[in-house]
Amino acid sequence: MQSQTEIELKFLVPQAARTRVLAEMARGSGSPERTSLSASYFDTDDRRLARAGMAWRLRREGRRWVQTLKAGTSNPLERFEHEVIRPDASADASEHAGTPVGDRLACLLRGARAEGVEPAVRYRTEVRRTTRRIRTRGAVVEVAFDEGRLIAAGGRLSLREIEFELVSGSPLAMLALAERWRKRFDLIYDPRSKAERGDRLAEGDRYPPVRKARPMDYSKDAAAIDAFAVVVDECLAQITHNAIGLIDGDPGRRVEHVHQLRVGIRRLRSALRSFRGWVPSPPEPLERGLRDLFLQMGMSRDSDVLASGVVADLARAGGPAMALSAVPAGPDPGEAVRSADTQRMLLAWIAWRSALVQAPLDSPETPEAKPTTARGSPAESGAAAAAQASESEPAGSQGPQPQAVPDLTPPDDARTFHRRLKRRLGRWHARFASDWQSFDSLDEAGLHALRKRIKRQRYAVECFAPAMRKRQVGRYLRVLAAIQDRMGALNDLFVARARYQARADSVQDASGQIGPDPASWFALGWLAARIAELRARAKPELRRLAKSAAPTS
């Protein structure tokens, strides 16, 4: 019987890299181990285990049967795992009794059986696994390359993936090794487990779902660093799940994956600002990578919004049909997230998050001081180990290792955290009073800046919500959401206006002459009326926000 927390990372392997990956797996002093694995995953028809974040399987490994219970954690690297050897192909949940996840499983199954619901096999996997154990400086890592298929009532899916699991040593050393392989073989980071993919297939959906924002979940007694770690985990989960949706997903969901990926990036950037001065800061290249990806996704979203929103509204208003041609195609978001730069950046963020809680918080500093990250700190070195290993080390070398140097961040405890967040939110909220008073004189740039402040305030409150009074948070978020939606719609109109203005007097007619475009001028007139209308509606909503009170702990 074995119970532990797994430290692992998984990637999709492109078909073009398959032969090279297999050749690399065969390198080393010992022969790689090859095993045929057949696993059955159990759940109820209403997916009680999947909804609880659990996976319960029985797998045949050669001549033995291994029953495993797994559950995810907020950390993208960690999963709980409890394994037992079974005498045959029968499953027995009581074998996991005495573990926290096993006791939750028993409770879920008791509730299901009380309602006459029994667990059954929901989906299966059949894979051929090749494993190799690699010793790198600071870690021993088991690399497993799986090829096979997922089988469920909803059909079949091919599997071709590689997993890096830490046997011993430093997670950052494992991440540095994974980054070298990612670069060599164009691997694609995949945050999904086989169980997640199988559950979707059993529901008749072959594609990754759109991952929306979920509430932050940490204790009211959490200190800032612990709360921040949970917030980063949630944001990274939203970003990476929508990124894989753009690569391996349904093209019909592209627009929503793009939107939710941008929301995840915006939430993470807002979290960095909200916790600034209280926790370690990421290296500048990581923040720059987020900004770059956000801008690329933004260009795609602008085209989508125009095509499905403003242009459609114009058509319903009687606008000339040729106005539809005013919308240029945006960049391919799938290629943007598949790129080596984006994949390296995502892995570097995971490395930095892994190192985050190792950074000591014992240097005195005023609460609102600008943070400084000491060169060589765990957080910085974790990012460097993943992001720079491919630039400085040949494949198979040991790679750079992090050295623990204290981060210059202030002391941390729950009481101090609550006091600081109350003061920070209150100061940011006070700005809305002057925004309301000067609203009529704000130009497009001023309105854009106001919209960003409203968004940041909303995401900051969501970051701090577990530490504050629930009812106050709910009321305040409703007020913020209303004005945010209004300002977002106004911004979309400004984007559309800029597009139409660019072509209003520069369209080539059938004779080759450059002149005014009637369709664009019609659009500009309609947009001017809509902008005035939305500005009038936004002002009282902003007043309501300015007159409300920021929530407290």
Side-chain angles (χ1 to χ4, degrees), residues 388-444:
Q388 298 173 6
S390 61
E391 306 297 332
S392 58
E393 300 290 335
S397 65
Q398 294 178 333
Q401 296 301 303
Q403 299 296 319
V405 176
D407 226 61
L408 300 181
T409 50
D412 193 22
D413 59 73
R415 185 175 180 180
T416 302
F417 174 40
H418 290 188
R419 184 177 67 252
R420 289 170 177 163
L421 72 86
K422 178 182 177 180
R423 182 166 59 246
R424 181 164 286 180
L425 282 179
R427 187 176 70 252
W428 290 345
H429 174 82
R431 176 72 185 272
F432 295 131
S434 60
D435 288 329
W436 167 63
Q437 292 169 356
S438 62
F439 185 78
D440 290 337
S441 63
L442 293 178
D443 58 10
E444 181 178 337

Side-chain angles (χ1 to χ4, degrees), residues 441-461:
S441 63
L442 293 178
D443 58 10
E444 181 178 337
L447 290 171
H448 181 65
L450 170 59
R451 182 179 67 93
K452 292 199 295 184
R453 284 195 293 275
I454 292 170
K455 280 186 176 183
R456 287 197 298 258
Q457 187 77 346
R458 179 180 177 180
Y459 294 135
V461 171

Side-chain angles (χ1 to χ4, degrees), residues 306-325 327 500 519 522-523 526-527:
L306 287 175
S308 62
V310 172
V311 171
D313 289 342
L314 274 166
R316 286 191 290 270
M322 63 183 298
L324 295 172
S325 65
V327 184
Y500 284 114
F522 178 93
W526 181 86
L527 286 166

Side-chain angles (χ1 to χ4, degrees), residues 310-311 314 318-328 493 496-508 515-528:
V310 172
V311 171
L314 274 166
M322 63 183 298
L324 295 172
S325 65
V327 184
L493 295 179
R497 186 175 68 179
R499 295 287 183 94
Y500 284 114
Q501 282 177 334
R503 63 176 273 128
D505 291 311
S506 58
V507 173
Q508 187 174 17
D517 175 37
S520 294
W521 281 107
F522 178 93
L524 288 171
W526 181 86
L527 286 166

Side-chain angles (χ1 to χ4, degrees), residues 19 35 47 221 225 265 292 303:
T19 301
T35 313
R47 305 175 53 250
D221 297 328
I225 187 65
I265 294 175
D292 291 346
S303 296

Side-chain angles (χ1 to χ4, degrees), residues 227-441:
F228 181 62
V230 171
V231 170
V232 172
D233 289 341
E234 161 56 21
C235 296
L236 287 178
Q238 186 177 9
I239 292 168
T240 56
H241 278 80
N242 286 298
I244 199 66
L246 287 170
I247 294 172
D248 195 37
D250 181 357
R253 298 175 189 164
R254 191 201 74 165
V255 172
E256 192 62 16
H257 279 302
V258 168
H259 174 61
Q260 292 299 330
L261 193 153
R262 294 182 83 240
V263 170
I265 294 175
R266 193 181 292 115
R267 294 171 79 206
L268 181 51
R269 293 177 67 188
S270 295
L272 296 174
R273 179 176 181 268
S274 298
F275 283 87
R276 188 171 295 155
W278 310 339
V279 297
S281 297
E284 196 278 334
L286 268 67
E287 296 196 65
R288 185 173 63 247
L290 278 184
R291 288 194 300 271
D292 291 346
L293 182 58
F294 186 81
L295 291 174
Q296 292 179 74
M297 294 297 105
M299 289 187 286
S300 174
R301 181 187 178 276
D302 286 347
S303 296
D304 293 334
V305 167
L306 287 175
S308 62
V310 172
V311 171
D313 289 342
L314 274 166
R316 286 191 290 270
M322 63 183 298
L324 295 172
S325 65
V327 184
D332 183 351
E335 290 304 312
V337 296
R338 187 190 294 272
S339 72
D341 286 344
T342 297
Q343 289 296 312
R344 181 170 60 249
M345 184 266 293
L346 293 178
L347 192 56
W349 269 104
I350 292 171
W352 183 77
R353 162 59 184 94
S354 178
L356 181 64
V357 294
Q358 301 176 31
L361 301 171
D362 55 6
S363 296
E365 185 174 327
T366 57
E368 301 299 329
K370 293 183 179 180
T372 57
T373 302
R375 184 172 180 82
S377 71
E380 181 182 75
S381 300
Q388 298 173 6
S390 61
E391 306 297 332
S392 58
E393 300 290 335
S397 65
Q398 294 178 333
Q401 296 301 303
Q403 299 296 319
V405 176
D407 226 61
L408 300 181
T409 50
D412 193 22
D413 59 73
R415 185 175 180 180
T416 302
F417 174 40
H418 290 188
R419 184 177 67 252
R420 289 170 177 163
L421 72 86
K422 178 182 177 180
R423 182 166 59 246
R424 181 164 286 180
L425 282 179
R427 187 176 70 252
W428 290 345
H429 174 82
R431 176 72 185 272
F432 295 131
S434 60
D435 288 329
W436 167 63
Q437 292 169 356
S438 62
F439 185 78
D440 290 337
S441 63

